[in-house]
Amino acid sequence: EVQLVESGGGLVQPGGSLRLSCAASGFTFSSYWMHWVRQAPGQGLVWVSRIFNDESNTNYADSVKGRFTVSRDNAKKMMYLQMNSLRVEDTAVYYCVRVTFAGSGYDFWGPGTLVTVSS
Amino acid sequence: QSVLTQPPSVSAAPGQKVTISCSGSSSNIGNNDVSWYQQLPGTAPKLLIYEINKRPSGIPDRFSASKSGTSATLGITGLQTGDEADYYCGAWDNILSAGVFGGGTRLTVL
């Protein structure tokens, strides 16, 4: 059974940092591209970042470019999102998401971890 | 402001059919696969449709989708009260080099 479990969320002050982790199991993690998607309270889904299966390519939403860094450790079946210079508008539930093998949809989602940026 | 445009809400009676539209551009829907997601209250989104009109295992054939040019449509037949949820369309945008979503459509089954 495919499982994705995020951790590392919490309350942080504006300008602070957090590192989110995503633990994957039940599939060949090293074969799949992975994404982060976030959802502010009461709002819609917003794509954050993508990483290729071999870390050869990463992409970021303009709103987080230069502040967030996605990485992965295929041996540990883990993906990470290092978030620096956090802003109030980064407050959201962050989902770890797997993309289908053809890259045509997000087929498995973790339960999400809440990041709250507030003073 | 979302890159893909969806109606904020739709409603229909149990047993009826409803459609949800998703409008984009040539850089996203026009040249890439569209996917659809259902988000029940308090839960993570779930993939309903991918590669325009394929359903993951466990998704009933009451859910279908189509694409024409730079627009896509999700259809749900035989509406049930359990279908009440937020529905999102998504695609990759070649110009932005980013994933894009619609703003979401809240379905109410009256």
Side-chain angles (χ1 to χ4, degrees):
Chain A
E1 179 194 5
V2 173
Q3 284 199 332
L4 299 168
V5 180
E6 306 90 343
S7 60
L11 175 63
V12 62
Q13 292 188 336
S17 298
L18 272 180
R19 187 198 197 203
L20 304 185
S21 298
C22 170
S25 61
F27 66 102
T28 306
F29 181 70
S30 59
S31 296
Y32 287 84
W33 296 359
M34 297 292 295
H35 295 234
W36 288 98
V37 174
R38 70 184 182 184
Q39 185 171 34
Q43 302 301 308
L45 302 175
V46 176
W47 179 83
V48 174
S49 181
R50 171 180 79 172
I51 185 167
F52 280 17
N53 61 307
D54 60 358
E55 289 193 275
S56 61
N57 191 33
T58 58
N59 300 93
Y60 299 92
D62 284 345
S63 59
V64 307
K65 206 170 290 183
R67 300 188 298 123
F68 289 13
T69 302
V70 62
S71 62
R72 63 192 293 164
D73 183 333
N74 285 340
K76 295 182 178 179
K77 297 185 179 182
M78 296 288 295
M79 180 175 66
Y80 307 98
L81 187 66
Q82 178 66 45
M83 304 186 297
N84 299 330
S85 302
L86 282 162
R87 305 167 179 168
V88 171
E89 55 265 34
D90 294 320
T91 294
V93 173
Y94 285 73
Y95 294 104
C96 165
V97 189
R98 191 185 86 165
V99 174
T100 64
F101 207 66
S104 57
Y106 308 113
D107 59 354
F108 284 95
W109 298 63
T113 187
L114 177 61
V115 172
T116 302
V117 185
S118 174
S119 55
Chain B
Q1 192 79 353
S2 302
V3 173
L4 305 182
T5 301
Q6 298 179 236
S9 63
V10 296
S11 62
Q16 297 300 303
K17 175 183 178 178
V18 70
T19 59
I20 298 172
S21 61
C22 175
S23 177
S25 68
S26 59
S27 64
N28 42 68
I29 293 178
N31 281 283
N32 293 305
D33 289 326
V34 180
S35 48
W36 290 90
Y37 305 87
Q38 178 193 60
Q39 187 175 32
L40 297 169
T43 68
K46 178 172 71 174
L47 178 64
L48 284 179
I49 301 283
Y50 67 104
E51 289 181 19
I52 302 177
N53 196 23
K54 292 184 180 178
R55 288 174 283 106
S57 169
I59 302 300
D61 59 7
R62 298 188 298 108
F63 296 89
S64 65
S66 62
K67 185 178 97 165
S68 177
T70 59
S71 294
T73 302
L74 173 70
I76 311 172
T77 60
L79 278 172
Q80 304 173 1
T81 54
D83 295 332
E84 285 201 332
D86 293 325
Y87 291 83
Y88 296 89
C89 58
W92 185 259
D93 192 292
N94 296 332
I95 291 179
L96 297 174
S97 288
V100 291
F101 288 100
T105 299
R106 176 149 299 177
L107 169 63
T108 301
V109 181
L110 302 169

